[in-house]
């Protein structure tokens, strides 16, 4: 971390749809001129001024002009802050220069990336540099993958407390979700698949559940890509679109922390659609839906109305099973739509947790669970509308 920096957090991409929501959250929750020093950054000073005024943010909030195509502007920005919070994606198109600038200058970094192949490349290229400079770089600090990554950590922590051993098998099941994925998520997914079609090595990274674990390879994992009836949850299950991202991050968390879940840990995620024939039909419909990959989904910079964001929610269930067959259930919920309302709060608290609560964390490239752990669980429950509960 950059201890002498002027700001705790700079929001890079503050004129975009999600960046605006982050700035609004920071202003509403932490105010200006108080315990958190924050600034807004983007490519255009005029746009930054317009957004600041439209959001009712005080003029005392500093505005920083920075552009991924201008290395000097990025360097100046990262030197001014302890942490850069970036919403500027797809990260494989626009994110690499900022990761390099943070890793070089010892500045912390959080983003919303679910772009596994790009994350794989960034770990290979900048892990050593971040370790040397002291920069703590944490990818996937939004809906993908914090509720899932921290949900597993929360469950495992209780399993150790209750049974003295981790759950070697964990099922993650999205039971209810109302809201939309962001236009940035859709664009990132399309760009990732286009890249994978051009490069077999990228496709191999996407298919490997252990592609982010630094060479560790665990047991075979359920692929979760077919409709199935899940007796443990009493419902039909369909493929969950976030699973290919979340599962890799969770295996990386396990590896980074020294395998507290075990080297034989098995994890999968699916979406529940209900029991009986209706549940089966709904699961088959989910499995055949390709709206995220098509051109009709949300575009970067677009998003739902405030009313739609406020009406959103999600409910994620986890079942852990130990080697001895002991079972433990947990639930993670969010009180806003996942792609915007909840994500903007989650990434804000992740940045602040990194700066305020993780003084002993050394430099490197992390997952949320490995970097911030239960400290972030506490913040999310206190400020961001998430709940983490043990069900039995």
């Amino acid at each position: 971390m950059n201890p002498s920096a002027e700001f705790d957090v700079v929001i890079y991409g503050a004129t975009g749809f999600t960046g605006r929501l982050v700035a609004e959250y920071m202003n509403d929750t932490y105010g200006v001129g108080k315990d958190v020093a924050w600034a807004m950054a983007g490519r255009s000073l005029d746009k930054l001024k317009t957004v600041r005024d439209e959001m009712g943010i005080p003029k005392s909030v500093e505005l920083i002009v920075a552009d991924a195509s201008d290395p000097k502007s990025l360097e100046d920005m990262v030197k001014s802050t302890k942490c850069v919070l970036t919403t500027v994606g797809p990260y494989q198109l626009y994110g690499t220069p900022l990761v390099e600038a943070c890793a070089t200058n010892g500045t912390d970094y959080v983003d919303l990336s679910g772009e596994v192949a790009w994350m794989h490349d960034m770990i290979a290229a900048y892990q050593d540099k971040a370790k040397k400079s002291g920069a703590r770089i944490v990818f996937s600090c939004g809906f993908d993958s914090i509720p899932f990554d921290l949900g597993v950590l929360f469950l495992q922590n209780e399993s150790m407390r209750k049974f003295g051993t981790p759950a070697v098998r964990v099922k993650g099941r999205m039971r209810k979700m109302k809201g939309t994925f962001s236009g940035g998520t859709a664009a990132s997914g399309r760009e990732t698949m286009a890249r994978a079609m051009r490069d077999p090595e990228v496709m191999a990274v996407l298919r490997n559940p252990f592609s982010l674990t630094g060479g560790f390879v665990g047991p075979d994992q359920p692929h979760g890509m077919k409709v199935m009836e899940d007796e443990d949850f009493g419902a039909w299950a369909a493929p969950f679109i976030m699973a290919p991202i979340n599962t890799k991050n969770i295996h990386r968390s396990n590896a980074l922390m020294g395998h507290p879940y075990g080297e034989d840990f098995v994890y999968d995620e699916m979406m529940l659609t209900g029991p009986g024939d209706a549940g089966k039909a709904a699961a088959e419909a989910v499995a055949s839906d390709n709206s995220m990959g098509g051109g009709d989904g949300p575009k970067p910079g677009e998003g739902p109305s405030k009313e739609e964001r406020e009406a959103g929610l999600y409910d994620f269930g986890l079942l852990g099973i130990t080697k001895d067959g002991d079972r433990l259930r947990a639930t993670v919920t969010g009180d806003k739509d996942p792609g915007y309302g909840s994500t903007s709060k989650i990434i804000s608290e992740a940045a602040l947790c990194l700066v305020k609560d993780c003084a002993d964390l050394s430099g490197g490239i992390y997952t949320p669970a490995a970097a911030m752990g239960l400290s972030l669980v506490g913040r999310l429950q206190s400020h961001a509308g998430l709940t983490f509960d043990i069900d039995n």
Side-chain angles (χ1 to χ4, degrees), residues 15-18 87-90 93-94 181-190 295 297-303 340:
T15 59
F17 194 92
T18 304
T87 63
V88 181
L93 298 181
Y94 308 115
F181 295 102
S182 73
T185 296
S188 295
R190 289 191 292 269
K299 305 295 188 294
E302 298 178 351
Y340 298 92

Side-chain angles (χ1 to χ4, degrees), residues 19-337:
R20 290 168 63 112
L21 296 179
V22 172
E24 181 181 46
Y25 176 79
M26 293 290 282
N27 185 56
D28 291 349
T29 307
Y30 295 99
V32 177
K34 298 180 181 178
D35 293 338
V36 177
W38 58 280
M40 299 165 61
R43 291 181 297 175
S44 165
L45 183 59
D46 288 340
K47 286 185 179 180
L48 285 166
K49 288 179 178 178
T50 299
V51 167
R52 182 185 62 186
D53 295 343
E54 287 177 353
M55 305 293 282
I57 295 171
K59 286 182 166 53
S60 56
V61 169
E62 188 141 348
L63 307 179
I64 299 170
V65 176
D67 191 328
S69 65
D70 181 354
K72 179 65 166 56
S73 71
L74 289 185
E75 185 174 13
D76 290 344
M77 177 179 68
V78 304
K79 285 182 175 179
S80 74
T81 187
K82 296 175 183 176
C83 180
V84 174
L85 182 166
T86 174
T87 63
V88 181
Y91 295 94
Q92 58 200 293
L93 298 181
Y94 308 115
T96 301
L98 182 56
V99 171
E100 181 177 21
C102 287
T104 301
N105 290 282
T107 300
D108 292 348
Y109 167 105
V110 296
D111 71 15
L112 299 173
S113 176
E115 299 166 45
V116 172
W118 177 78
M119 291 153 58
H120 176 271
D121 292 347
M122 294 301 96
I123 293 165
Y126 298 111
Q127 168 81 345
D128 291 342
K129 187 169 283 192
K131 280 186 175 181
K132 184 176 180 180
S133 73
R136 288 90 58 87
I137 294 171
V138 190
F139 303 130
S140 305
C141 287
F143 179 65
D144 50 331
S145 294
I146 279 181
F148 313 94
D149 193 22
L150 293 187
V152 172
L153 178 70
F154 180 77
L155 177 81
Q156 295 286 19
N157 186 67
E158 180 63 15
S159 182
M160 289 299 300
R161 189 196 67 79
K162 188 172 183 178
F163 305 125
T165 187
V168 294
R169 173 72 173 108
V170 174
K171 290 184 174 185
R173 298 292 183 262
M174 183 57 71
R175 293 187 292 217
K176 188 174 184 180
M177 188 170 70
K178 182 180 180 183
T180 56
F181 295 102
S182 73
T185 296
S188 295
R190 289 191 292 269
E191 183 63 29
T192 295
M193 290 314 299
R195 186 180 167 200
M197 300 311 277
R198 297 192 301 266
D199 188 341
E201 290 186 7
V202 171
M203 185 64 78
V205 168
L206 298 181
R207 287 176 171 168
N208 177 9
F210 299 100
S211 59
L212 301 181
T213 59
F216 170 80
V217 178
D220 289 344
Q221 303 289 312
H223 58 71
M225 297 309 293
K226 290 183 179 179
V227 168
M228 58 166 282
E229 190 171 15
D230 191 330
E231 295 182 357
D232 287 321
F233 286 84
W236 283 85
F240 180 44
I241 195 167
M242 310 308 297
I245 301 160
N246 296 332
T247 54
K248 293 176 181 62
N249 276 321
I250 287 162
H251 285 301
R252 177 164 169 78
S253 290
N254 190 30
L256 287 172
M257 294 186 291
H259 294 102
Y261 311 160
E263 294 191 357
D264 53 351
F265 176 62
V266 175
Y267 177 73
D268 72 326
E269 284 177 6
M270 298 189 77
M271 172 173 279
L272 300 181
T273 57
D277 291 343
K280 182 180 182 181
E284 290 171 345
V286 169
S288 63
D289 180 22
N290 190 38
S291 58
M292 277 286 287
D296 297 331
K299 305 295 188 294
E302 298 178 351
S305 68
K306 183 175 182 179
E307 291 74 22
E308 290 170 325
R309 297 194 303 272
E310 296 285 330
L313 54 86
Y314 50 93
D315 179 323
F316 181 66
L318 297 119
L319 169 65
I321 307 170
T322 70
K323 281 184 178 179
D324 295 330
D326 292 312
R327 290 179 168 234
L328 189 66
R329 292 180 183 266
T331 296
V332 180
T333 68
D335 68 344
K336 298 287 186 291
D337 80 293

